[in-house]
Amino acid sequence: MFKILLLCFLSWACFSDGADFDHPAIYQLTEPVDHAEEPTWDGRKNILFYVDIHTGRVYSYNYETTEVKFIQLDGEVTPVIPSENNDNLLIVGLNRAVLAVEWDGTNELGRQKVLSEVSQEFPTSRVNEGKADKQGRLWIGTMGVEDQTTGIVDPDAGIFYKITKETLDNPTVKIAPVNISNGLAWNAANDKFYYVDSLTLEIAEYDYNDESGTISNRRVAFDMRDHPELAGHPDGLTIDEDDNLWVAIYKGGVVLKINPTERALLQVLSLPARDITSTMWGGPNLDILFVTTSRISLTEEERLIYPAAGSVFAVTNLNAKGRPVFNANLIDSI
């Protein structure tokens, strides 16, 4: 099932009250790409979808066969979200558009259709992370142009949107401006929403109304500045069945397990890459943490230090598991 066992160790920090963590095992699943991002588990097929943003490639990792396939799109691509009523249809962000793409994760790329366009006021921006909510609505954000060498991003040039079947022509702005719209998740009760604008160094928590699809009453669930021992900034994230967040830390080399209710750092999981981009629960029992990483900002010397950077990793033995993700309900067929 997994290709390479890299290391097995107890994460270097665990601050829960008496919690007894097994030793996490970390496996490299794929060969490196430049900027792997946005892992999405499709339990209908036992496939992990992910992207290489700047090459325009959407990848699939087959859990049963370990085969990796990809399709090529024209532009910068992220996120990738399975469609609710058609398991051969993906909802994909491409440049500043949202597309429906026919692909089953194995065979050739099929038809494509532009569903929506965003952020007309920032023509050099692009879409970044996004997910579907319980009703199949798409929540997706943008970010300003990024210098891939320095990582510097144009500030306040991003917007966070909600898109429904009815608002494809006029997506609803939910948060503006933002810098780098990144990780997002909903709690089990579906009444809290978590969101990352990376340059703020914060994970924000909002009250969430699923019926209306609204967020309100922003507060800080976690602030990196409260932990000077940690480097980097928060990127993508996922949530487990106990409502703990698992947050990728870009330029920090770690995934953080956070209890957002207590604003408590529970665990720091080190990985063999500096730039950790996102996380997602998957596998048949939803107890494997898939982690994407990047090498695009590494120097040649740093790539020697982190030869596996840009790979997708699987982490097991975490004594945690996730919940099924929601699929997008924007279109049934092309």
Side-chain angles (χ1 to χ4, degrees):
M1 180 175 61
F2 300 131
K3 292 165 55 176
I4 304 170
L5 175 62
L6 289 180
L7 61 164
C8 178
F9 62 96
L10 184 65
S11 17
W12 61 261
C14 176
F15 303 112
S16 60
D17 294 335
D20 182 19
F21 289 93
D22 289 341
H23 290 214
I26 302 179
Y27 302 83
Q28 181 184 353
L29 299 186
T30 69
E31 296 300 320
V33 298
D34 284 340
H35 194 82
E37 255 281 15
E38 203 70 2
T40 302
W41 177 254
D42 190 341
R44 299 170 298 188
K45 298 180 177 182
N46 279 345
I47 282 178
L48 181 79
F49 290 101
Y50 63 101
V51 302
D52 183 9
I53 290 180
H54 304 297
T55 66
R57 290 183 174 183
V58 179
Y59 284 84
S60 67
Y61 171 82
N62 188 303
Y63 177 84
E64 302 295 341
T65 68
T66 72
E67 286 186 305
V68 176
K69 304 281 188 178
F70 71 87
I71 54 174
Q72 180 75 56
L73 302 178
D74 185 18
E76 295 182 302
V77 58
T78 188
V80 53
I81 303 167
S83 187
E84 176 66 25
N85 299 317
N86 186 334
D87 60 5
N88 292 326
L89 196 66
L90 300 173
I91 303 303
V92 175
L94 185 70
N95 300 323
R96 287 186 297 106
V98 175
L99 276 64
V101 174
E102 286 182 331
W103 190 44
D104 62 1
T106 301
N107 297 301
E108 298 298 318
L109 171 64
R111 292 172 292 180
Q112 304 173 44
K113 181 178 181 180
V114 175
L115 301 180
S116 186
E117 296 186 1
V118 298
S119 203
Q120 304 299 323
E121 58 268 60
F122 297 113
T124 60
S125 67
R126 64 166 175 85
V127 294
N128 202 37
E129 295 210 22
K131 290 180 181 174
D133 67 17
K134 187 176 182 179
Q135 305 303 325
R137 299 168 293 216
L138 176 64
W139 297 70
I140 188 169
T142 63
M143 59 179 284
V145 65
E146 177 184 14
D147 185 312
Q148 294 179 14
T149 301
T150 65
I152 296 175
V153 175
D154 283 353
D156 294 332
I159 302 173
F160 185 59
Y161 296 92
K162 180 186 72 177
I163 303 177
T164 68
K165 284 183 176 180
E166 296 74 26
T167 62
L168 293 174
D169 293 332
N170 188 25
T172 304
V173 174
K174 303 305 293 184
I175 306 174
V178 297
N179 301 290
I180 305 176
S181 188
N182 248 316
L184 58 156
W186 293 262
N187 69 336
N190 208 29
D191 59 4
K192 292 181 182 178
F193 173 73
Y194 298 98
Y195 175 73
V196 170
D197 177 355
S198 291
L199 297 191
T200 67
L201 300 178
E202 298 172 347
I203 300 171
E205 179 185 275
Y206 294 82
D207 293 328
Y208 179 71
N209 185 310
D210 185 59
E211 182 177 354
S212 61
T214 55
I215 56 176
S216 60
N217 300 324
R218 183 190 188 278
R219 58 262 185 193
V220 176
F222 189 80
D223 192 331
M224 292 283 292
R225 288 164 294 201
D226 292 337
H227 296 273
E229 74 278 11
L230 299 174
H233 54 259
D235 202 314
L237 60 82
T238 191
I239 194 165
D240 66 26
E241 63 180 359
D242 297 320
D243 286 341
N244 295 311
L245 301 174
W246 296 76
V247 186
I249 304 299
Y250 197 80
K251 293 189 176 181
V254 297
V255 170
L256 304 182
K257 180 183 180 182
I258 294 167
N259 180 330
T261 303
E262 303 294 333
R263 298 183 62 174
L265 176 61
L266 304 180
Q267 189 176 9
V268 180
L269 181 67
S270 299
L271 283 98
R274 187 194 69 181
D275 299 337
I276 317 300
T277 57
S278 196
T279 59
M280 170 61 63
W281 292 104
N285 299 316
L286 297 177
D287 58 354
I288 300 170
L289 186 69
F290 293 105
V291 182
T292 51
T293 65
S294 174
R295 66 181 181 186
I296 197 166
S297 296
L298 299 181
T299 65
E300 291 301 319
E301 292 78 11
E302 289 169 334
R303 292 189 183 200
L304 295 176
I305 298 172
Y306 301 106
S311 303
V312 179
F313 297 91
V315 188
T316 62
N317 299 338
L318 287 169
N319 285 340
K321 61 186 297 185
R323 303 189 305 273
V325 297
F326 303 122
N327 296 324
N329 187 14
L330 298 182
I331 187 173
D332 294 336
S333 61
I334 299 178

